[in-house]
Amino acid sequence: NPSCSPHPSALPAEGFSSSRDAITDQDLLHVSEQLYEADHNRAQPTDITINPQHQASPDRTGDQEDLSPEPLFQYVNEKLFSKPTYASFIKLLDNYQRATGREEDVTAEELKEQDNFLREVMKTELMKKLFTFLHKKNRYDSEQEFVADLKEMWFGLYSRGNGEQDSSGFEHVFSGEVKKGKVSGFHNWIRFYLLEKQGLVDYFSYSYDGPWNTYPDVLGMQFNWDGFYKEVGSAFIGSSPEFEFGLYSLCFIARPGRACHLSLGGHRLSIQTYTWTKSTYGDGRNYIATAYVISP
């Protein structure tokens, strides 16, 4: 009898004992297709030309051999970057020291940029659909609560180095870091393209190319970032910032620390997230440690 079920706020935050609040595997397949459909800011096929060149076999991804003489991105229509969600996203990318162990100095200007990015993504149909879904599942009472939580889980600082507040989920996933001489995180095509254009990223090869023939596509890449190597950096290619931000947030909320199985344009895809375990915010909530695409 539903009238006897406790009010959602009386339920434990983790686990949601009421079955109607559970996010099922079927729910995830359905809502991810909805978000895919709603990604109106994605690149059109004519906006990007990529040149993947050499495919490395899975056992050779650690070889650190540059097997592709040309850049990955032959052409990107930079008009995309003037769309509000792209423009506010790109502003955030230069806010980070990439070395772990170096304190992030967050200025008032940068906090404003975070708020601006969240405000722009929340104007999109994609993020509104995501909120509606999570609201129906009793995860958030209001859009304001949702945005406040996104801000903490993605932008809240924690220490990957020696006690310095040197990292955040956003920095790790979208901007990339260097830890113990290797590239860590760095799963974003816009960041990749901008650094490749500056000559700071050298594309070596790819080990996985997703089944999509439009954007967003998925590529697993090997590359060198200004002297540091990334053995398998998976990235959506041609997705809008809100698409990645929304999908990763969905998976982190619904399947933290586990593979999260989604469907995009009729093709299966999985996202792996990890929670940061050494510190929390609010009433024991978790920051995002990382989020990235894994093969289905």
Side-chain angles (χ1 to χ4, degrees), residues 15-291:
F16 288 85
S17 61
S18 164
S19 60
R20 70 201 160 89
D21 292 339
I23 296 176
T24 65
D25 289 351
Q26 207 49 48
D27 287 336
L28 287 171
L29 295 177
H30 181 69
V31 74
S32 53
E33 284 291 3
Q34 280 192 320
L35 300 182
Y36 179 78
E37 280 301 301
D39 188 13
H40 307 305
N41 286 327
R42 72 176 74 167
Q44 296 308 304
T46 51
D47 287 330
I48 300 177
T49 311
I50 59 169
N51 181 14
Q53 300 162 82
H54 184 85
Q55 180 164 11
S57 60
D59 58 332
R60 303 299 299 269
T61 56
D63 288 359
Q64 304 205 23
E65 275 185 81
D66 185 356
L67 299 164
S68 303
E70 299 295 313
L72 172 64
F73 287 96
Q74 273 187 325
Y75 168 75
V76 171
N77 176 5
E78 293 195 10
K79 283 202 182 94
L80 277 173
F81 300 162
S82 58
K83 290 176 185 264
T85 58
Y86 285 79
S88 59
F89 173 80
I90 289 166
K91 276 208 165 78
L92 289 168
L93 292 175
D94 63 3
N95 289 350
Y96 298 104
Q97 300 274 357
R98 76 172 182 192
T100 58
R102 286 182 62 186
E103 184 91 36
E104 293 298 341
D105 178 25
V106 183
T107 63
E109 175 70 15
E110 289 172 9
L111 288 171
K112 214 163 76 188
E113 288 174 356
Q114 292 170 9
D115 289 336
N116 190 37
F117 171 69
L118 289 166
R119 194 164 46 245
E120 291 301 343
V121 297
M122 287 312 297
K123 288 178 189 170
T124 65
E125 186 194 341
L126 188 151
M127 288 299 285
K128 289 196 180 305
K129 276 199 150 71
L130 176 58
F131 169 70
T132 302
F133 171 76
L134 294 169
H135 179 60
K136 279 189 183 140
K137 296 289 184 181
N138 284 315
R139 295 309 196 265
Y140 298 99
D141 288 336
S142 67
E143 198 171 298
Q144 198 180 351
E145 187 196 341
F146 179 46
V147 172
D149 198 37
L150 286 173
K151 186 171 180 175
E152 283 294 341
M153 91 176 59
W154 278 105
F155 294 104
L157 290 174
Y158 49 75
S159 171
R160 278 183 202 262
N162 35 20
E164 307 281 355
Q165 295 290 86
D166 64 347
S167 190
S168 69
F170 185 90
E171 174 184 8
H172 182 85
V173 171
F174 292 105
S175 190
E177 300 179 297
V178 169
K179 187 178 184 189
K180 296 186 178 149
K182 283 200 169 140
V183 174
S184 177
F186 196 142
H187 299 283
N188 178 256
W189 75 271
I190 299 168
R191 172 76 164 159
F192 190 100
Y193 165 74
L194 293 171
L195 289 175
E196 187 178 62
K197 193 175 140 181
Q198 289 173 41
L200 293 170
V201 157
D202 184 1
Y203 169 76
F204 281 15
S205 55
Y206 74 97
S207 46
Y208 173 80
D209 186 2
W212 297 271
N213 52 14
T214 56
Y215 297 115
D217 195 359
V218 175
L219 213 55
M221 301 179 284
Q222 291 68 54
F223 60 89
N224 189 303
W225 176 17
D226 204 13
F228 299 96
Y229 187 63
K230 180 77 181 183
E231 186 170 333
V232 182
S234 60
F236 285 106
I237 308 285
S239 56
S240 67
E242 62 268 27
F243 177 79
E244 285 179 75
F245 191 71
L247 237 49
Y248 292 153
S249 300
L250 167 69
C251 284
F252 186 70
I253 291 161
R255 300 285 184 271
R258 290 188 281 152
C260 168
H261 306 300
L262 308 177
S263 177
L264 305 177
H267 297 291
R268 292 294 177 99
L269 165 109
S270 301
I271 284 171
Q272 177 73 46
T273 62
Y274 286 100
T275 56
W276 184 252
T277 53
K278 295 176 191 154
S279 54
T280 56
Y281 66 91
D283 48 2
R285 287 173 178 248
N286 292 108
Y287 297 110
I288 291 177
T290 193

